[in-house]
């Protein structure tokens, strides 16, 4: 049965979760650390593998909310990450590769910037992108080289200016990126960019999404041949509440 796309009601910290103040280290160096049910004031730097952050509220005034560059298989789920908005020069709520599930991300220049390797980005709500930078390039989800095996499924992305999802090869080749069953809207230039200008972008598929038209159109494709099929192309300004979502497995 159809369900609503992700929004503030079904992402982030689940209702009724008891949160306590986080008093642990802001730099995580121990593999398999679990941080659960915490209020975290400030950014986290993750330098360990298989770290899990869940049911947390993270508020930050810095470039990154969670910076997991170089770490393997990080999981961030059911959490709220709120950046500084126009009062700070942020980059992304999340930087890393791994599993990013059912989070509510806002007040940053970019929602999620993926690092090399495989990742699953599912059921997130990315919205209200803001930054005080002099020339921000807003993207909901950024895939810019070195990724192989990425699933972007069942998210709501309401971006602005640049894209909801950008897939390019500025930092290396990209392979096996599946974008499916998302709502892509807001006020981007294009909903999705796919570019293989600097290295190959192969096996990219964009299927069964709902797209509220960007200022220049739905797709911008350069030097790549993505599979684009089954998408519902909606008029600009259409909101997620005006269409039915899809059931996405946890």
């Amino acid at each position: 049965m159809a369900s609503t796309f992700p929004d503030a009601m079904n992402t982030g910290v689940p209702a009724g979760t008891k949160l306590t103040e986080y008093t642990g280290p802001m730099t995580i160096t121990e593999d398999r650390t679990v941080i659960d049910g915490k209020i975290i004031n400030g950014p986290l730097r993750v330098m360990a593998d298989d770290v899990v952050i869940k049911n947390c509220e993270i508020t930050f005034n810095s470039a990154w909310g969670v910076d997991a560059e170089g770490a393997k298989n990080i999981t961030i789920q059911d959490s709220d990450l709120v950046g500084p908005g126009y009062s700070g020069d942020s980059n992304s709520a999340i930087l890393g590769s791994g599993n990013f599930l059912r989070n509510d991300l806002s007040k940053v220049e970019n929602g999620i910037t993926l690092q090399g390797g495989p990742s699953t980005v599912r059921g997130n709500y990315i919205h209200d992108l803001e930054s005080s930078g002099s020339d921000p390039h807003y993207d909901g989800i950024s895939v810019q080289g070195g990724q192989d095996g990425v699933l972007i499924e069942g998210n709501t992305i309401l971006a602005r200016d640049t894209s909801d999802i950008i897939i390019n090869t500025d930092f290396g080749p990209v392979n096996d990126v599946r974008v499916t069953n998302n709502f892509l809207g807001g006020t981007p230039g294009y909903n999705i960019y796919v570019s293989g200008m600097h290295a190959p972008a192969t096996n990219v598929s964009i299927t069964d999404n709902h797209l509220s038209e960007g200022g220049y159109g739905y797709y911008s494709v350069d030097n790549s041949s993505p599979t684009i099929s089954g998408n519902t192309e909606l008029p600009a300004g259409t909101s997620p509440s005006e269409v039915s979502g899809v059931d996405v497995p946890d």
Side-chain angles (χ1 to χ4, degrees):
M1 181 179 294
S3 61
T4 60
F5 284 103
D7 59 21
M9 300 300 294
N10 54 25
T11 60
V13 178
T17 302
K18 184 178 180 180
L19 302 178
T20 58
E21 200 75 24
Y22 179 68
T23 58
M26 302 304 286
T27 298
I28 309 302
T29 57
E30 184 176 343
D31 291 350
R32 294 176 292 282
T33 294
V34 177
I35 302 174
D36 185 2
K38 298 298 181 180
I39 298 171
I40 302 172
N41 293 304
L44 289 175
R45 176 73 173 101
V46 177
M47 302 177 68
D49 298 337
D50 302 308
V51 170
V52 176
I53 300 167
K54 60 182 179 178
N55 306 314
C56 290
E57 291 183 356
I58 302 174
T59 304
F60 60 96
N61 188 353
S62 58
W64 317 102
V66 177
D67 176 357
E69 183 175 12
K72 296 179 181 178
N73 194 40
I74 185 173
T75 296
I76 303 174
Q77 67 181 56
D78 302 304
S79 293
D80 294 275
L81 285 82
V82 182
Y86 292 122
S87 66
D89 186 5
S90 64
N91 190 303
S92 299
I94 295 171
L95 172 69
S97 61
N99 304 293
F100 309 115
L101 314 173
R102 301 179 302 277
N103 301 292
D104 185 326
L105 312 176
S106 64
K107 307 296 183 183
V108 288
E109 183 175 335
N110 307 288
I112 299 173
T113 297
L114 294 179
Q115 294 289 282
S119 289
T120 296
V121 184
R122 178 184 286 139
N124 300 279
Y125 178 40
I126 300 173
H127 61 103
D128 293 306
L129 301 182
E130 298 175 357
S131 176
S132 68
S134 60
D135 187 24
H137 292 266
Y138 295 102
D139 298 295
I141 296 174
S142 180
V143 179
Q144 298 196 54
Q147 291 76 30
D148 189 352
V150 173
L151 175 63
I152 300 173
E153 181 181 27
N155 305 279
T156 295
I157 306 175
L158 305 178
R160 56 181 290 194
D161 294 7
T162 310
S163 74
D164 293 303
I165 298 172
I166 188 166
I167 301 166
N168 67 35
T169 56
D170 286 352
F171 304 107
V174 168
N175 180 61
D176 186 19
V177 178
R178 292 173 289 155
V179 179
T180 187
N181 290 329
N182 303 280
F183 185 95
L184 306 177
T187 56
Y190 290 96
N191 299 99
I192 301 179
Y193 280 81
V194 182
S195 174
M197 292 292 290
H198 301 288
T202 53
N203 299 311
V204 175
S205 64
I206 302 165
T207 59
D208 301 320
N209 302 281
H210 286 71
L211 299 92
S212 172
E213 188 177 14
Y216 302 116
Y218 299 102
Y219 318 99
S220 174
V221 177
D222 292 306
N223 284 47
S224 183
S225 300
T227 298
I228 301 176
S229 66
N231 300 295
T232 302
E233 297 174 352
L234 303 162
T238 304
S239 70
S241 63
E242 296 177 72
V243 297
S244 295
V246 293
D247 284 329
V248 176
D250 293 336

